[in-house]
Amino acid sequence: MENRKVLRLFGNWLRAALSLGLLGSAVASGTAASAQTLVLRGGSVYASPDAAPLPDAVVVVSGGAISAVGSASDVQIPPDARVIDCAGKTVVAGFWNSHVHFTEAVWKSAANGPAAPLTAHMQEMLTRWGFTTVWDLGSDPDDSLPLRRRVNAGDIAGPNIMLAGNMYPKGGHPIYVPREVQVPEVATPDEAAKQAREFLAMGHDGIKLFTGSFMGDKPVVNMDTTVAKAAVDIAHAQGKPVFAHPQNKAGVETVIAAGVDILTHTVPSQPDGYTSEQLVRFKSQGIALTPTLSLFTTIVLDPAVTARVVAATVNQLRQFAENGGVVLFGTDVGFTRIYDTTLEYELMHRALSERQVLASLTTNPAQYFKAAKKGRMERGFDGDLVVLDGDPMADVRNLAKVAYTIRAGQIIYQKP
């Protein structure tokens, strides 16, 4: 569910992207090289979601990476380090939000605007909730590409930003996107392939397809499978993932038939849940799911209807997880204004354990997106960390109680 801005000429975007030297999956080398040695002392550490907590632990981050993690009696603290007292707190790996949008008005100044208000909004939206890596699944590249450059340069405090370019079926301009906002519609496999190549040449890290577009009181417009597969083939040839907004059962079927990697939403229009055939294909094809459950609390006004929609989507998450599928955390924030992640955790916890929710934020996305040095707290891994005020295994809502967010050893959010 997107609100993309008017697409400009791709030649201009390509020249701008190349001139900016954008690398979405890496922290700028200058930022990592200049990182101060940071020590988190005295907290309880979960090295991974399935690990037992290590009490009174010490974590050392130097050069942007974890150089030591262990008990206080075993880890020597460098004399020149900045030490943060984490007594009574819990330390976990940095969080991923695998569905965000940089489409709010504030990001229109991303290229040249003052850094302070951009950092402030980044905190309100993402970093105060522990996010050190995010997937933007639809925004204006004139905003998001410069924003990523400035974040990686250390000018704006923010997460590692991955970008996916969007495309829609012909005639599938969603009702919630203003009519004056043009969206890239593709009618043929050749058009989809061309669009995918252009997005990836701009510096995007993946592709997002609207295999189903919501049209209000008119029927959903679905993307033809051959069109979707053409885009998937281009992305996969370059080792890039493909996301899909399915909207309805037909959209889910296109995801399966076209070989899409990630469902970006559960589907309220399948109130009886995924079919057994769909679940088999999800598992065999390694399709992941980002459920975005809190989104569905915003789409209807009738509390009874909302309750039924949420129950249906929670059930789909339960089915998917019990089937062995990879669950990714995502909120559609930027489209929604629910910055606080507490509700999403509460809803996910209706279907998942506390450890499974933590995995959706850490190890699952790191493994799924092949970020080999993220998702765990081990020596040599990226210094992406979150310090929580409470133990998330005692109460899943503690995942939203963030004291510090640290990216590559740099504090990008500190609780006032």
Side-chain angles (χ1 to χ4, degrees):
M1 296 184 172
E2 274 51 36
N3 185 10
R4 298 187 74 249
K5 306 298 287 184
V6 178
L7 289 172
R8 291 170 173 79
L9 293 175
F10 285 112
N12 292 338
W13 282 346
L14 178 57
R15 286 191 293 274
L18 292 174
S19 70
L20 292 173
L22 297 166
L23 289 173
S25 61
V27 178
S29 59
T31 301
S34 63
Q36 178 188 29
T37 297
L38 184 69
V39 172
L40 307 179
R41 180 178 64 190
S44 179
V45 166
Y46 287 97
S48 67
D50 57 357
L54 177 65
D56 192 23
V58 173
V59 182
V60 182
V61 182
S62 56
I66 298 171
S67 56
V69 56
S71 63
S73 59
D74 296 332
V75 177
Q76 184 174 359
I77 297 176
D80 60 343
R82 175 182 176 182
V83 180
I84 297 176
D85 182 5
C86 295
K89 301 184 186 300
T90 300
V91 185
V92 295
F95 295 163
W96 292 58
N97 190 324
S98 297
H99 193 151
V100 310
H101 298 282
F102 292 110
T103 50
E104 295 170 281
V106 64
W107 306 120
K108 292 308 297 178
S109 64
N112 301 302
L118 295 170
T119 292
H121 194 72
M122 191 74 80
Q123 288 188 352
E124 182 182 10
M125 175 179 169
L126 294 169
T127 56
R128 71 161 293 181
W129 309 108
F131 297 115
T132 57
T133 301
V134 301
W135 269 99
D136 175 305
L137 299 188
S139 62
D140 185 342
D142 281 350
D143 303 332
S144 54
L145 290 171
L147 176 63
R148 181 168 69 181
R149 171 185 60 81
R150 293 183 68 183
V151 168
N152 283 352
D155 184 34
I156 297 168
N160 182 41
I161 297 171
M162 313 292 286
L163 302 171
N166 285 196
M167 60 184 81
Y168 301 74
K170 186 68 175 178
H173 190 297
I175 191 172
Y176 45 79
V177 177
R179 298 310 301 175
E180 65 272 15
V181 175
Q182 298 179 18
V183 298
E185 299 180 12
V186 289
T188 67
D190 285 345
E191 290 177 1
K194 179 177 183 291
Q195 183 80 81
R197 290 190 191 97
E198 290 172 337
F199 275 132
L200 297 178
M202 269 188 267
H204 285 72
D205 306 286
I207 299 296
K208 181 181 178 185
L209 306 174
F210 276 68
T211 57
S213 285
F214 181 63
M215 309 301 290
D217 57 0
K218 298 179 181 179
V220 170
V221 174
N222 290 110
M223 181 176 286
D224 185 82
T225 298
T226 61
V227 174
K229 190 174 188 307
V232 169
D233 288 346
I234 295 298
H236 285 178
Q238 297 189 35
K240 306 297 185 182
V242 181
F243 302 77
H245 176 114
Q247 194 63 48
N248 62 0
K249 183 178 180 180
V252 173
E253 295 296 332
T254 297
V255 164
I256 293 169
V260 170
D261 302 292
I262 303 106
L263 287 158
T264 64
H265 300 286
T266 41
V267 183
S269 61
Q270 276 193 240
D272 295 329
Y274 298 120
T275 67
S276 58
E277 293 82 5
Q278 288 173 338
L279 289 167
V280 168
R281 294 293 294 275
F282 293 158
K283 183 71 175 292
S284 66
Q285 294 177 210
I287 295 172
L289 170 67
T290 308
T292 65
L293 301 177
S294 57
L295 166 68
F296 301 112
T297 68
T298 70
I299 58 176
V300 290
L301 298 177
D302 185 329
V305 175
T306 298
R308 288 196 296 270
V309 168
V310 169
T313 56
V314 167
N315 180 56
Q316 287 177 23
L317 173 58
R318 181 181 295 106
Q319 285 182 295
F320 194 90
E322 290 178 351
N323 192 53
V326 175
V327 177
L328 307 172
F329 183 87
T331 55
D332 211 353
V333 67
F335 174 74
T336 77
R337 300 298 186 267
I338 307 177
Y339 302 143
D340 187 337
T341 50
T342 303
L343 177 59
E344 189 71 26
Y345 296 138
E346 291 174 343
L347 294 175
M348 292 180 75
H349 190 232
R350 295 183 185 180
L352 307 178
S353 70
E354 292 87 354
R355 292 185 183 274
Q356 287 175 307
V357 176
L358 180 57
S360 77
L361 290 155
T362 56
T363 49
N364 287 1
Q367 292 168 4
Y368 198 84
F369 296 117
K370 299 179 174 60
K373 295 297 184 180
K374 295 186 184 295
R376 298 177 183 270
M377 295 179 58
E378 299 179 16
R379 184 176 179 179
F381 274 53
D382 290 351
D384 294 353
L385 311 168
V386 182
V387 180
L388 302 170
D389 283 330
D391 185 344
M393 302 309 163
D395 186 339
V396 74
R397 293 172 295 185
N398 285 333
L399 289 166
K401 297 177 181 178
V402 175
Y404 293 89
T405 303
I406 299 162
R407 178 192 173 198
Q410 298 288 315
I411 297 172
I412 58 175
Y413 170 76
Q414 179 177 347
K415 182 180 176 181

